[in-house]
Amino acid sequence: MAENATHTMHNIITLRGAQVRDAKEWAAYLTESIGLYGGRVDVAFASHHWPTWGNDEIVALLEAQRDLYAYMHDQTLRMLNSGLTAREIAEEFQLPPALAEVWANRGYYGSISHNVKGIYQRYMGWFDANPAHLWEHPPVAEAKRYVKALGGITLAVSKAREFVRAGDLRFAATLLNHCVFAEPDRKKPRQLLAQV
């Protein structure tokens, strides 16, 4: 099975950078494998984990993985067609219990959030239809402007600490990331970002 059906959710797109894999075709190839070998297989080998033994167990794994990638694909497109952006889809997307409860469908390697963004990217590219995102500043220039707008580095870090105390680590990381890009030599923002 190479990497087509593993005991964990795989990556539709890797964080290290690669072309987006086609989740629809991935599911189709698993369907083809079930048809070709489903009645006469004793062991399935794939990377990243242990073999799967027994025809019924192998077919169950292949079916669950097929259904996982097909569902991610189809529901991402449904949500995309209803006007949601990649980030909005990633925030809202949930697997149904029948798929979520399958141990091999858990996101220890790949993740729902990253995978649905990859599927979105495959069809729509990077642009999210918001004209404000057409020509944004690069990270350092943008960060310097954010920090200035927040009243300087000291106030920006203080605001980030407030978000940490409130439990909003995601936004605290965003603010601290701007602080680090704006003034990379400052230790406190870097240390706090690392902690967050």
Side-chain angles (χ1 to χ4, degrees):
M1 288 312 302
E3 295 194 25
N4 295 327
T6 61
H7 288 277
T8 184
M9 181 189 305
H10 215 304
N11 295 304
I12 298 300
I13 184 167
T14 66
L15 295 178
R16 64 174 156 68
Q19 287 188 338
V20 178
R21 297 164 174 149
D22 188 336
K24 181 180 176 187
E25 286 300 309
W26 197 324
Y29 289 129
L30 289 172
T31 297
E32 181 180 5
S33 296
I34 293 166
L36 288 171
Y37 307 109
R40 58 189 178 100
V41 63
D42 297 316
V43 61
F45 294 96
S47 59
H48 303 299
H49 64 83
W50 55 94
T52 304
W53 300 92
N55 189 77
D56 292 344
E57 290 78 10
I58 293 166
V59 171
L61 172 66
L62 297 181
E63 288 175 343
Q65 291 270 287
R66 174 202 58 203
D67 295 347
L68 169 69
Y69 298 116
Y71 188 85
M72 281 192 295
H73 174 269
D74 295 349
Q75 294 306 307
T76 298
L77 288 187
R78 180 186 62 77
M79 295 169 90
L80 177 160
N81 285 326
S82 70
L84 297 179
T85 66
R87 287 169 49 184
E88 291 168 330
I89 295 168
E91 194 69 20
E92 289 187 23
F93 197 102
Q94 290 187 12
L95 291 174
L99 292 175
E101 292 169 4
V102 174
W103 194 87
N105 286 352
R106 294 180 183 185
Y108 296 116
Y109 185 65
S111 76
I112 291 288
S113 176
H114 299 155
N115 283 343
V116 299
K117 289 174 191 170
I119 293 165
Y120 183 98
Q121 178 182 325
R122 183 171 183 85
Y123 287 94
M124 300 299 290
W126 63 268
F127 183 52
D128 65 0
N130 182 342
H133 297 158
L134 282 172
W135 195 29
E136 295 174 293
H137 287 287
V140 171
E142 182 178 68
K144 288 180 179 180
R145 286 165 172 80
Y146 269 104
V147 168
K148 182 179 178 183
L150 288 167
I153 194 79
T154 303
L155 282 174
V157 171
S158 176
K159 288 288 182 191
R161 287 184 194 281
E162 289 177 24
F163 282 100
V164 169
R165 284 191 294 276
D168 189 349
L169 300 181
R170 289 166 68 181
F171 193 70
T174 299
L175 283 181
L176 291 165
N177 186 59
H178 286 308
C179 293
V180 169
F181 269 85
E183 297 190 29
D185 293 333
R186 290 205 181 227
K187 287 184 181 180
K188 284 189 179 184
R190 287 193 340 248
Q191 290 171 340
L192 184 55
L193 179 56
Q195 289 173 1
V196 168

